[in-house]
Amino acid sequence: MTDGTDESEMPAEPTQALRFGQARLARSTALVEDYVELIADLLASGGEARSTDVAKRLGVTHPTAIKSIARLKREGLATSKPYRGIFLTEAGHELAHKVRARHRLLVELLLAIGVPLEAAEADAEGMEHHASEATLAAAAGFLAARKHRPDE
Amino acid sequence: MTDGTDESEMPAEPTQALRFGQARLARSTALVEDYVELIADLLASGGEARSTDVAKRLGVTHPTAIKSIARLKREGLATSKPYRGIFLTEAGHELAHKVRARHRLLVELLLAIGVPLEAAEADAEGMEHHASEATLAAAAGFLAARKHRPDE
DNA sequence: ACTTAAATGTAGCCTTGGCTACATTTAACC
DNA sequence: GGTTAAATGTAGCCAAGGCTACATTTAAGT
Ligand SMILES: [Mn+2]
Ligand SMILES: [Mn+2]
Ligand SMILES: [Mn+2]
Ligand SMILES: [Mn+2]
């Protein structure tokens, strides 16, 4: 009884380590994704994205927002001249597009299984960063199938 | 055209700030939850939870694991005597139980919509920390309904 | 028993992402 | 146009969570 578990395949340790590592990586990119998505939203609706608005929307102080935006610039996702608004590079826009698609898909999925709207939006804001391509594809497929069988 | 969006209710800024704040909070508790769940697993299967095993399973170095375990102790979730294994307090066991339930439910949900097992496990490892009670309840309900209508 | 290896612990460094406090610049308002 | 308010920027602090390097203790081997 060296182990106790009764599985015959799967070594457990390395596999699980990879999963956790993947989750850690997703956590570290989550912030960048949220900023880019939000900035894109502000640009699309208001025409400009000011750091104060970004800070207010995220619920952080403006120095925090500015520091994070500096990271976006460092990673080639955004640009800004002093005392001017923030703009997205081509890479930034592409990322924003992907992130927004994930966000919407996750919300749709949650709504489809019966989660109330506000909870769906709040949970999706966190979960979106951990949804792999496989999960997104499955969600899309599930929702498409749902549309064909609309009741229930 | 001061705003562009066409919603009449919902101020947007404070609501969204709350969502982001909730996601940030979940990120900060994710680590604790993963440790507690993992330690409970090790205790259940092997009888003891050693820091080296915890580190290996998580894919971090052992000093990192020890430091995080110190946080668990500080928060009253675990105990340990020098050069001995790690144990969970009553609060630790309770949290582990809740976290494991969330984990399993999320995996089940992903499998149900057609996500392959490994992707489901990996994604759930990150998403589980962002699933509200409302989402968990909806997922449980959805899965229960599925069981009654098993095909397709 | 002694030697060696493994596990555990400690120290110190780094980055990220929060914050407050203060300085500067731009915009609003007489 | 001068004064005030708001936005923006900078500096510096802190905690969390990673890491490497080294010290100590326990367990294994012979
Ligand atoms: Mn998000
Ligand atoms: Mn989002
Ligand atoms: Mn997890
Ligand atoms: Mn888990």
Side-chain angles (χ1 to χ4, degrees):
Chain A
M1 120 195 7
T2 58
D3 194 24
T5 54
D6 55 338
E7 83 291 344
S8 41
E9 74 293 66
M10 204 184 64
E13 293 142 22
T15 310
Q16 205 167 5
L18 288 180
R19 288 176 196 158
F20 282 119
Q22 199 167 310
R24 275 195 302 276
L25 196 269
R27 270 202 296 271
S28 90
T29 58
L31 180 133
V32 164
E33 294 183 344
D34 282 339
Y35 270 81
V36 169
E37 183 187 1
L38 175 55
I39 290 169
D41 282 354
L42 291 172
L43 287 175
S45 65
E48 63 175 349
R50 298 181 312 170
S51 58
T52 308
D53 297 336
V54 172
K56 263 203 266 280
R57 288 283 196 104
L58 284 168
V60 297
T61 61
H62 82 269
T64 296
I66 287 176
K67 201 187 284 190
S68 298
I69 290 166
R71 180 179 167 194
L72 301 195
K73 294 199 254 181
R74 200 187 331 136
E75 297 185 7
L77 298 169
T79 60
S80 79
K81 276 166 282 185
Y83 292 95
R84 241 58 208 274
I86 300 128
F87 302 92
L88 293 181
T89 64
E90 191 50 44
H93 271 113
E94 280 176 37
L95 179 57
H97 187 263
K98 267 184 272 186
V99 173
R100 188 177 5 237
R102 284 210 307 258
H103 186 116
R104 286 177 182 167
L105 193 49
L106 257 292
V107 170
E108 266 192 78
L109 175 63
L110 291 178
L111 292 177
I113 67 169
V115 180
L117 177 62
E118 187 47 40
E121 284 287 352
D123 290 6
E125 199 54 75
M127 299 198 296
E128 61 184 354
H129 312 284
H130 299 273
S132 63
E133 284 303 319
T135 288
L136 295 174
F142 172 77
L143 289 170
R146 269 270 144 150
K147 249 170 208 148
H148 297 170
R149 197 171 19 75
D151 66 315
E152 167 52 19
Chain B
M1 121 191 13
T2 59
D3 194 23
T5 54
D6 56 338
E7 82 291 342
S8 41
E9 75 292 70
M10 204 182 64
E13 293 142 20
T15 310
Q16 205 169 5
L18 288 179
R19 288 177 196 156
F20 282 119
Q22 198 168 311
R24 275 195 302 275
L25 196 270
R27 271 203 296 271
S28 90
T29 58
L31 181 134
V32 164
E33 293 184 344
D34 282 338
Y35 269 81
V36 168
E37 183 186 2
L38 175 54
I39 291 169
D41 282 353
L42 292 172
L43 288 175
S45 65
E48 62 174 350
R50 298 181 312 169
S51 58
T52 308
D53 298 335
V54 172
K56 263 203 266 282
R57 289 284 196 101
L58 284 167
V60 298
T61 61
H62 81 269
T64 295
I66 287 176
K67 199 185 285 191
S68 297
I69 291 166
R71 179 180 167 193
L72 301 195
K73 293 199 255 183
R74 199 186 334 135
E75 297 185 5
L77 297 169
T79 61
S80 79
K81 275 165 284 186
Y83 292 94
R84 240 58 208 271
I86 300 128
F87 301 92
L88 292 181
T89 64
E90 190 52 42
H93 271 113
E94 280 176 36
L95 179 58
H97 187 263
K98 267 184 272 187
V99 173
R100 190 179 2 240
R102 285 209 305 257
H103 185 116
R104 287 177 182 166
L105 194 48
L106 257 292
V107 170
E108 268 191 78
L109 175 63
L110 292 177
L111 292 178
I113 67 169
V115 179
L117 178 61
E118 187 48 40
E121 285 286 352
D123 291 6
E125 199 54 77
M127 298 198 297
E128 61 184 355
H129 311 285
H130 297 274
S132 64
E133 283 304 319
T135 289
L136 295 174
F142 172 77
L143 290 170
R146 269 268 144 153
K147 248 170 206 147
H148 297 169
R149 199 172 18 78
D151 65 315
E152 172 48 19

